[in-house]
Amino acid sequence: KGNLGLLLKILKSDVFWYYIQKTSKEYKSNFRAVAKNFIENFSIPNFTDEEKKFIINKNQEEVNKFLIKKYGINKILNIFLFGGKNEHR
């Protein structure tokens, strides 16, 4: 599971999909290009061993909350996900 499990959780996160929506080209029906040139600049922070275990072992909702705080984008993502009307989860 290790590093691949960690990467999978990050790629499924609200943070990653927010980044994709802001950087990739939109096609019909809100389809997004997820090609190398759109994701190569997405940064993944250095995680402690404890943080890695947390990400791998927790459900996606908990991982989303953690990553939003880790990336420091709570208010930005709240507006993106909820139009600024609600607190993020």
Side-chain angles (χ1 to χ4, degrees):
K1 213 171 173 178
N3 289 332
L4 288 178
L6 178 71
L7 182 59
L8 183 60
K9 290 282 185 91
I10 294 168
L11 294 178
K12 286 182 168 183
S13 73
D14 290 344
V15 171
F16 178 74
W17 287 100
Y18 169 77
Y19 172 82
I20 290 298
Q21 287 231 308
K22 294 299 181 189
T23 60
S24 69
K25 183 177 179 179
E26 182 178 351
Y27 295 98
K28 290 182 179 181
S29 302
N30 203 29
F31 173 76
R32 295 273 172 189
V34 186
K36 177 182 157 187
N37 58 321
F38 293 114
I39 62 173
E40 66 186 354
N41 291 322
F42 180 76
S43 65
I44 296 177
N46 291 321
F47 295 110
T48 66
D49 288 340
E50 283 184 26
E51 290 173 327
K52 288 177 186 178
K53 288 177 187 174
F54 177 88
I55 293 169
I56 291 168
N57 294 314
K58 295 296 181 176
N59 67 44
Q60 193 65 49
E61 185 174 341
E62 291 179 80
V63 171
N64 285 336
K65 290 177 186 178
F66 169 77
L67 291 176
I68 287 166
K69 288 179 184 174
K70 183 78 171 177
Y71 278 84
I73 59 171
N74 193 27
K75 289 182 181 182
I76 294 168
L77 205 53
N78 178 42
I79 292 167
F80 173 72
L81 292 173
F82 304 106
K85 296 177 184 174
N86 301 319
E87 286 297 315
H88 180 66
R89 300 176 195 189

